């Protein structure tokens, strides 16, 4: 379970206390646990039992007794005994109900929740206040309670024909206990300023430090453990969204039960237990809401997910009499190991918890790492509201100040709620030393580069995409290329590649240089020269980042390319909020590498020159961004997303041969459901007018080869390709394309066979103006439309999948088998 410890280094906090009492609350007649019972110490400290009836009371000073209450049961007082810290509390049912809670005509809990939903806008600080501002301190530690770990040194034996034979001494538990007794596994701190005005909420990180890292892992800082507001219609816990128990449609998803009444901050509150009606793990949010009896606001919330990991989030509020409002004061997030041993997908990777699968689901012996847990605490202070606030750089949701990673110890002493204890101090010292020794930062940097398709070699990043590929024209394409990295310069880069085709016996190459001219906007200006090949009529959005694939199978069957020699100058920038844009001025000499001539008013062009100006812009209006000292990161991807591209030829400049314009558009939408399903929509359109050769028109991405039988046509599927459309079958000067995909939750057929069913439909329409201008290829137009549908069974085994597609409608072929395409798919999940 070493992997679990390494994973949890991203995530956890340990609670230090001087006095702790643990126990469980049960019903006396059935011996069943009572979830969310109220526990109150003689010193007035309140707590509740968890979903399993278990509780833990932690206080800075000892107490002598505590009371346990639960609606419909007789209250019990427990007096502490010497040398005993675990108590089993049995409660007996009573016949009379809670007298002070009287709501007629329906389940009282439902009536209270209806009132809470009805009054949400009056109680939500982001609705009722026109502005607020506060600072917060967060501490997050990965740790374990050493007292829970056996710490034995075991002898390991192996089974042989002659009997069990001694193999080695296993001291892992002993070493683990010794480590966590002295220090935590990981630790990080953060001080932020939150500002809200004009419906915009921004977090500015004033200081941050992460044990073992000179420069913090910014993506982890942005990782959303729990929702900022309890009033959001979708409550987020550990980057998974659930329908909120006080969403407008919550009553259809949750059952509610009135547990008790309790005084918080001098005001009477109802304790309402909620649990999802469905038992699916993806919809398993449950917990307790403390609802103010007067204004039906949330005074406290406990949210819980119990599965592979036990995850809980607690929100505490303080009542502000002048505003008649409960304002958030602190929140706690905790993760501990759950009872199940299923797969769980976190941070883009799959963590496999070992155990029950190999043992017919019998209970296994706990290992030391099972006691590793996460606890993150955030405290808000210096709260101000309804004051004039001007939010700078409001387009970014999170901004990390340039000096945030270099704050002196005096800064941290000012904001820490409690001074660091010996374990916390030791954590920084030990992990900083380990990080240097194990080169953790270098290894993390290496992993990031690899995922994005680059191999860092000193001051140069080798582009893994350029090493090897294959197509019908070049044969095997062997090459090398890359770009200088931040170790070479943060304000200047040199990039390029060279490649050789074994079939066409020709070299291709590129060379470019660029200089950074804007830090906040990450703006670069540069120039490049390219001599290479491109698939004819392919739609390329220049702003799109080409995803890294170990191998892209679609180009294998492409044989029609054109050679282009381009001089280009460009500016890339994020100066417009929530956009990335690329502005280009280029001169390109084009030579088709197949039988083609462009006929313009009787003049034949076997090759030609195109001088163009182009702008390509991607706009993500609903996404959230984080601005770091090293650049801008999209931390919350939301849909729809839009991409625009406009290309205009420049007559009589640098020997330009044609006058034309092209407008391209793409929008993407994705919706993830609480039950694990996902719907994806894609719409693309292009409109060109003027004199444009076939090489620069549209082919709507075909991916089927011309072979006699279905078996001969089996190839790898493309990402958004028409799988039943043959290469060079259709061309258009204007087109529209729509794709629908719906993925169902993965189904476990066997231990290692868990396919994901996806249904797919694609539709395209197109038109080709002046078809007589294009001489050489036989082709059709899409003016009658093109339709295909199919199913994919992805990730059947180790990422491999299989799909089948059928072509129908006006362009259906006469032979039934020619309308069928069978495709192989492969999904590789990589996470760092």
């Amino acid at each position: 379970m070493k992997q679990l410890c390494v994973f949890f280094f991203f995530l956890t906090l340990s609670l230090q206390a001087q006095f702790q009492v643990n126990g469980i609350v049960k019903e006396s007649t059935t011996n069943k646990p009572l979830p969310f019972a109220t526990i109150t110490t003689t010193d007035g400290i309140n707590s509740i039992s968890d979903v399993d009836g278990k509780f833990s009371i932690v206080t800075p000073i000892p107490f002598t007794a505590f009371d346990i209450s639960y609606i419909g049961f007789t209250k019990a007082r427990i007096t502490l005994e010497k040398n005993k810290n675990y108590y089993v509390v049995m409660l007996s049912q009573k016949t009379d109900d809670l007298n002070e809670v009287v709501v007629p005509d329906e389940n009282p809990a439902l009536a209270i929740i209806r009132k809470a939903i009805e009054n949400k806008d009056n109680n939500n600080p982001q609705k009722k206040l026109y502005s607020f501002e506060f600072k917060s301190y967060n501490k997050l530690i990965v740790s374990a309670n050493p007292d829970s770990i056996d710490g034995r040194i075991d002898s390991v034996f192996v089974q042989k024909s002659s009997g069990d034979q001694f193999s080695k001494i296993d001291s892992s538990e002993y070493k683990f206990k010794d480590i966590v007794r002295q220090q935590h596994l990981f630790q990080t701190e953060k001080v932020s300023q939150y500002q809200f005005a004009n419906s915009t909420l921004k977090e500015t990180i004033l200081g941050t430090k992460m044990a073992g890292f000179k420069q913090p892992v910014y993506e982890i800082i942005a990782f959303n453990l729990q929702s900022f507001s309890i009033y959001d219609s979708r409550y987020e816990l550990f980057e998974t969204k659930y329908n909120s128990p006080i969403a407008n449609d919550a009553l259809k998803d949750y059952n509610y039960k009135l547990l008790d009444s309790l005084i918080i901050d001098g005001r009477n509150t109802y304790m309402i237990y909620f649990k999802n009606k469905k038992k699916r793990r993806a919809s398993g949010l449950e917990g307790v809401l403390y609802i103010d009896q007067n204004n039906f606001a949330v005074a406290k919330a406990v949210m819980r997910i119990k599965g592979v990991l036990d995850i809980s989030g607690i929100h505490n509020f303080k009542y502000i009499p002048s505003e008649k409002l409960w304002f958030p004061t602190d929140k706690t997030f905790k993760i501990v190991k759950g009872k199940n041993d299923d797969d769980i997908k976190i941070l883009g990777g799959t963590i496999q918890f070992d155990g029950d699968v190999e043992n017919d689901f019998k209970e296994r012996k706990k290992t030391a790492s099972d006691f590793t847990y996460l606890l993150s605490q955030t405290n808000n202070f210096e709260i101000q509201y309804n004051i004039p606030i001007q939010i700078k750089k409001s387009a970014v949701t999170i901004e990390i100040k340039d000096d945030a990673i270099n704050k002196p110890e005096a800064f941290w002493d000012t904001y820490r709620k409690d001074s660091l204890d010996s374990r916390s101090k030791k954590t920084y010292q030990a992990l900083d030393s380990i990080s240097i020794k194990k080169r953790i930062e270098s290894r993390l940097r290496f992993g990031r580069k690899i995922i994005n398709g680059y191999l860092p070699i000193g001051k140069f990043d080798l582009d893994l995409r350029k090493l090897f590929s294959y197509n019908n024209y070049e044969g095997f394409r062997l090459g090398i290329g890359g770009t200088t990295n931040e170790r070479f310069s943060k304000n200047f880069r040199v990039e390029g590649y060279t490649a050789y085709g074994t079939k066409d016996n020709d070299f291709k190459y590129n060379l470019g240089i660029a200089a950074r001219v804007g830090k906040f906007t990450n703006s670069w200006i540069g120039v490049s020269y390219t001599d290479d090949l491109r698939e004819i009529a392919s739609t390329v959005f220049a702003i799109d980042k080409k995803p890294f694939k170990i191998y892209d199978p679609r180009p294998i069957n492409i044989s029609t390319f054109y050679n282009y020699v381009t001089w280009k100058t460009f500016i890339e920038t994020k100066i417009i909020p929530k956009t990335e844009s690329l502005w280009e001025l280029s001169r390109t000499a084009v030579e088709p590498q197949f039988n083609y001539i462009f006929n313009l008013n009787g003049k034949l062009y076997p090759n030609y020159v195109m001088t163009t100006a182009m702008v390509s812009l991607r706009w993500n209006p609903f996404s959230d961004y984080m601005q770091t000292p090293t650049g801008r990161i999209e931390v919350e991807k939301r849909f729809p997303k839009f991409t625009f591209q406009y290309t205009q030829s420049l007559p009589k400049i640098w020997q330009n041969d044609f006058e034309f314009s092209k407008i391209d558009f793409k929008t993407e939408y994705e919706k993830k459901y609480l039950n694990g399903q996902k719907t994806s929509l894609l719409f693309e359109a292009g409109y060109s007018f003027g004199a444009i050769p076939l090489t620069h028109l549209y082919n709507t991405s075909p991916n089927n080869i011309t072979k006699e039988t279905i078996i001969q046509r089996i190839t790898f599927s493309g990402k958004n390709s028409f799988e039943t459309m043959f290469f060079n079958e259709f061309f258009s000067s204007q087109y529209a394309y729509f794709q629908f995909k719906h993925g169902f939750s993965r189904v476990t057929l066997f231990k290692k066979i868990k396919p994901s069913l996806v249904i797919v439909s694609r539709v395209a329409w197109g038109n080709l103006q002046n078809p007589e201008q294009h001489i050489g290829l036989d082709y059709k137009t899409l003016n009658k439309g093109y339709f295909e549908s199919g199913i994919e069974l992805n990730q059947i085994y180790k990422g491999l999948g299989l799909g089948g597609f059928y072509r129908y409608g006006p362009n259906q072929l006469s032979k039934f088998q020619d309308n069928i395409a069978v495709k192989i798919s492969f999904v590789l999940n990589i996470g760092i």
Side-chain angles (χ1 to χ4, degrees):
M1 294 292 289
K2 291 181 180 178
Q3 293 87 349
L4 180 62
C5 297
V6 173
F7 163 70
F8 269 126
F9 108 87
F10 287 103
L11 299 167
T12 281
L13 169 70
S14 171
L15 182 62
Q16 303 299 312
Q18 297 173 342
F19 193 75
Q20 181 171 337
V21 173
N22 303 316
I24 187 170
V25 184
K26 294 185 176 182
E27 184 179 352
S28 59
T29 55
T30 64
N31 204 39
K32 291 183 178 179
L34 292 175
F36 304 111
T38 303
I39 299 117
T40 306
T41 70
T42 49
D43 295 331
I45 296 175
N46 293 314
S47 182
I48 61 171
S49 63
D50 66 14
V51 70
D52 300 312
K54 297 177 182 178
F55 65 87
S56 179
I57 310 171
V58 182
T59 63
I61 57 175
F63 54 91
T64 59
F66 60 93
D67 296 325
I68 304 284
S69 61
Y70 199 85
I71 189 169
F73 290 79
T74 303
K75 182 183 293 186
R77 167 159 287 200
I78 306 300
T79 302
L80 299 188
E81 301 176 26
K82 189 176 181 180
N83 298 325
K84 181 178 180 180
N85 65 355
Y86 190 85
Y87 296 84
V88 178
V89 182
M90 310 298 291
L91 297 185
S92 301
Q93 278 189 304
K94 61 181 181 179
T95 57
D96 56 325
D97 293 324
L98 201 65
N99 294 327
E100 61 267 31
V101 180
V102 179
V103 183
D105 299 331
E106 67 171 330
N107 176 352
L110 285 178
I112 295 167
I113 290 298
R114 289 184 197 278
K115 284 288 187 180
I117 295 173
E118 182 183 330
N119 289 275
K120 273 196 308 181
D121 287 352
N122 292 330
N123 294 318
N124 184 354
Q126 291 174 265
K127 296 285 187 180
K128 187 170 185 178
L129 302 176
Y130 68 79
S131 71
F132 60 76
E133 181 179 85
F134 63 86
K135 291 180 181 176
S136 73
Y137 167 77
N138 172 264
K139 186 179 181 183
L140 181 148
I141 300 176
V142 181
S143 192
N145 184 356
D147 295 334
S148 302
I149 303 169
D150 192 349
R152 294 178 300 177
I153 299 178
D154 293 330
S155 298
V156 179
F157 292 85
V158 295
Q159 288 185 344
K160 292 194 173 182
S161 57
S162 58
D164 291 348
Q165 182 175 329
F166 174 80
S167 175
K168 63 180 179 178
I169 295 292
D170 182 5
S171 60
S172 58
E173 289 205 13
Y174 174 81
K175 292 178 179 178
F176 186 81
K177 181 172 183 175
D178 187 53
I179 289 172
V180 298
R181 182 187 292 117
Q182 300 179 53
Q183 66 177 73
H184 304 299
L185 301 177
F186 179 71
Q187 181 172 277
T188 182
E189 296 176 274
K190 180 180 70 170
V191 174
S192 301
Q193 181 184 47
Y194 285 86
Q195 294 178 302
F196 173 80
N198 300 319
S199 301
T200 298
L201 178 67
K202 180 181 177 181
E203 177 188 6
T204 302
I205 298 176
L206 307 176
T208 179
K209 62 189 305 187
M210 192 173 286
F213 291 87
K214 293 180 180 178
Q215 178 176 293
V217 183
Y218 295 122
E219 293 84 350
I220 301 304
I221 293 176
F223 192 70
N224 194 19
L225 299 177
Q226 61 194 122
S227 286
F228 174 84
S229 174
I230 196 67
Y231 292 99
D232 292 342
S233 59
R234 294 290 182 267
Y235 181 81
E236 191 164 359
L237 199 62
F238 203 32
E239 296 247 317
T240 302
K241 292 183 178 180
Y242 305 87
N243 202 27
S244 168
I246 54 172
N248 292 338
D249 59 348
L251 271 64
K252 70 178 178 61
D253 289 333
Y254 292 96
N255 291 319
Y256 300 88
K257 180 180 179 180
L258 179 60
L259 296 181
D260 209 340
S261 64
L262 190 70
I263 296 177
I264 299 179
D265 209 9
R267 295 177 66 85
N268 293 322
T269 63
Y270 300 118
M271 284 181 64
I272 306 293
Y273 169 65
F274 66 89
K275 185 174 184 178
N276 199 283
K277 294 178 180 179
K278 300 176 183 178
K279 294 184 178 180
R280 297 172 182 168
R281 184 179 66 185
S283 306
L285 187 66
E286 62 182 304
V288 174
L289 297 176
Y290 296 73
I291 306 295
D292 188 303
Q293 294 186 17
N294 184 35
N295 62 7
F296 295 95
V298 178
K300 182 178 180 178
V302 179
M303 319 296 273
R304 176 85 182 271
I305 297 295
K306 190 176 186 333
V308 176
L309 299 175
D310 281 357
I311 307 172
S312 61
I314 300 175
H315 299 256
N316 289 309
F317 300 79
K318 179 180 178 61
Y319 187 71
I320 304 173
S322 61
E323 299 296 328
K324 297 180 180 180
L325 181 74
W326 289 87
F327 195 87
T329 57
D330 60 85
K331 59 183 179 180
T332 302
F333 176 87
K334 188 173 184 179
I335 297 179
V336 297
K337 176 68 184 300
K339 293 182 179 179
N340 298 321
D341 292 298
D342 303 322
D343 286 349
I344 182 169
K345 195 167 185 177
I346 299 170
L347 294 175
T350 299
I351 304 299
Q352 174 72 52
F353 292 96
D354 64 348
D356 296 341
V357 175
E358 298 291 342
N359 297 298
D360 298 325
F361 298 96
K362 295 179 181 178
E363 185 175 351
R364 65 176 174 84
K365 177 185 174 183
K366 285 191 174 183
T367 60
S369 58
D370 286 320
F371 297 98
T372 305
Y373 66 92
L374 179 154
L375 178 63
S376 172
Q377 291 183 319
T378 302
N379 301 104
N380 302 334
F381 53 93
E382 297 184 12
I383 300 171
Q384 303 179 74
Y385 40 85
N386 290 338
I387 60 172
I389 294 177
Q390 183 178 3
I391 301 178
K392 298 180 180 179
K393 302 175 183 176
S394 59
V396 293
T397 304
I398 305 172
E399 181 182 0
I400 302 177
K401 291 294 188 181
D402 289 350
D403 62 346
I405 64 175
N406 298 314
K407 293 296 185 182
E409 195 62 25
F411 170 88
W412 295 105
D413 290 339
T414 301
Y415 291 111
R416 285 178 181 136
K417 187 176 180 181
D418 300 304
S419 59
L420 294 183
D421 60 14
S422 59
R423 286 179 79 194
S424 295
K425 292 177 181 178
K426 178 71 173 177
T427 303
Y428 279 124
Q429 298 169 3
L431 292 186
D432 286 349
S433 175
I434 292 172
S435 179
I436 295 172
K437 183 178 180 180
K438 300 289 186 179
R439 302 176 64 247
I440 299 297
E441 287 189 286
S442 296
R443 291 164 67 181
L444 180 62
R445 174 179 176 270
F446 180 87
R448 283 173 167 169
K449 298 279 188 179
I450 289 293
I451 286 177
N452 289 310
Y454 292 94
L455 176 66
I457 303 174
K459 299 178 180 181
F460 186 80
D461 290 345
L462 181 69
D463 192 340
L464 300 176
R465 302 175 185 86
K466 305 297 183 183
L467 296 178
F468 173 85
S469 63
Y470 179 87
N471 61 67
N472 279 340
Y473 179 78
E474 294 177 281
F476 290 101
R477 176 178 169 128
L478 309 175
I480 189 171
T483 179
T484 56
N485 56 43
E486 69 281 359
R487 291 184 176 178
F488 174 80
S489 174
K490 293 182 179 180
N491 298 310
F492 186 77
R493 72 173 186 243
V494 180
E495 55 194 354
Y497 65 83
T498 184
Y500 177 76
T502 59
K503 189 174 180 179
D504 67 342
N505 297 315
D506 198 9
F507 282 95
K508 298 87 184 174
Y509 46 88
N510 161 270
L511 181 65
I513 58 173
R516 190 179 187 180
V517 294
K519 185 177 181 181
F520 179 79
T521 60
N522 197 30
S523 299
W524 293 76
I525 184 170
V527 62
S528 69
Y529 176 81
T530 306
D531 185 344
D532 204 344
L533 297 173
R534 181 172 293 166
E535 177 189 359
I536 67 168
S538 55
T539 303
V540 178
F541 289 89
I543 195 61
D544 284 349
K545 302 292 188 297
K546 187 177 181 181
F548 172 56
K549 299 179 181 179
I550 292 179
Y551 185 68
D552 185 3
R554 184 181 174 273
I556 289 177
N557 302 298
I558 300 174
S559 56
T560 48
F561 292 86
Y562 64 89
N563 174 254
Y564 66 99
V565 179
T566 299
W567 281 98
K568 177 176 67 179
T569 182
F570 63 88
I571 297 175
E572 57 184 55
T573 181
K574 299 179 181 179
I575 192 170
I576 304 173
K578 299 195 175 186
T579 69
E580 296 178 56
S581 62
L582 179 65
W583 307 71
E584 289 184 355
L585 179 63
S586 64
R587 180 191 185 275
T588 302
V590 179
E591 183 178 354
Q593 303 299 300
F594 59 100
N595 181 26
Y596 176 72
I597 295 176
F598 183 53
N599 179 7
L600 181 61
N601 299 324
K603 185 176 181 180
L604 304 181
Y605 290 88
N607 49 65
Y608 32 86
V609 173
M610 308 173 78
T611 304
T612 60
M614 183 207 70
V615 57
S616 186
L617 183 145
R618 181 167 52 242
W619 180 39
N620 305 331
F622 304 104
S623 294
D624 288 339
Y625 289 84
M626 176 173 67
Q627 183 70 38
T628 77
T630 59
R632 192 178 305 172
I633 303 171
E634 187 180 6
V635 295
E636 181 72 25
K637 295 181 180 180
R638 297 194 182 100
F639 296 87
K641 298 184 173 190
F642 305 94
T643 306
F644 307 88
Q645 187 163 289
Y646 177 70
T647 305
Q648 177 63 54
S649 68
L650 303 177
K652 301 179 182 179
I653 296 179
W654 296 333
Q655 301 174 320
N656 179 52
D657 285 322
F658 312 124
E659 295 185 27
F660 64 89
S661 300
K662 287 184 71 176
I663 303 171
D664 299 300
F665 172 76
K666 176 173 67 175
T667 182
E668 303 163 86
Y669 179 79
E670 184 178 291
K671 180 177 177 60
K672 295 181 179 180
Y673 300 91
L674 300 180
N675 59 8
Q677 300 185 48
K678 182 175 75 171
T679 297
S680 301
L681 304 177
L682 172 66
F683 175 77
E684 286 187 13
Y687 187 89
S688 63
F689 49 93
I692 307 181
L694 192 71
T695 53
H696 288 68
L697 294 179
Y698 305 108
N699 64 9
T700 57
S701 195
N703 193 32
N704 203 9
I705 55 177
T706 307
K707 298 287 185 180
E708 284 295 322
T709 67
I710 297 174
I711 300 299
Q712 290 176 312
R713 293 197 297 269
I714 293 178
T715 58
F716 280 90
S717 62
K719 183 179 179 182
N720 299 311
S721 306
F722 276 97
E723 304 297 345
T724 60
M725 183 185 293
F726 295 98
F727 287 100
N728 301 325
E729 186 178 4
F730 297 93
F731 291 97
S732 305
S733 53
Q734 298 93 33
Y735 82 101
Y737 161 61
F738 176 75
Q739 174 182 271
F740 166 85
K741 282 188 177 183
H742 182 82
F744 296 89
S745 303
R746 296 185 69 176
V747 178
T748 302
L749 300 180
F750 301 98
K751 176 185 173 182
K752 293 185 178 180
I753 300 180
K754 303 176 181 179
S756 170
L757 174 65
V758 180
I759 57 174
V760 185
S761 284
R762 299 184 179 98
V763 181
W765 293 270
N767 179 50
L768 182 63
Q769 293 180 341
N770 304 316
E772 70 281 357
Q773 294 179 339
H774 310 292
I775 303 172
L777 285 179
D778 292 327
Y779 56 85
K780 295 182 285 187
T781 62
L782 286 170
N783 55 344
K784 294 182 180 180
Y786 190 96
F787 304 85
E788 79 170 20
S789 295
I791 60 171
E792 299 174 348
L793 280 175
N794 294 325
Q795 303 182 72
I796 298 174
Y797 181 74
K798 293 187 176 180
L800 284 173
L802 194 65
F805 297 85
Y806 184 70
R807 169 176 178 165
Y808 56 94
N811 278 295
Q812 188 176 36
L813 300 176
S814 57
K815 293 183 179 180
F816 175 79
Q817 60 269 27
D818 289 344
N819 297 296
I820 298 174
V822 178
K823 299 293 178 175
I824 301 170
S825 65
F826 181 74
V827 176
L828 177 65
N829 286 322
I830 302 178
I832 289 294

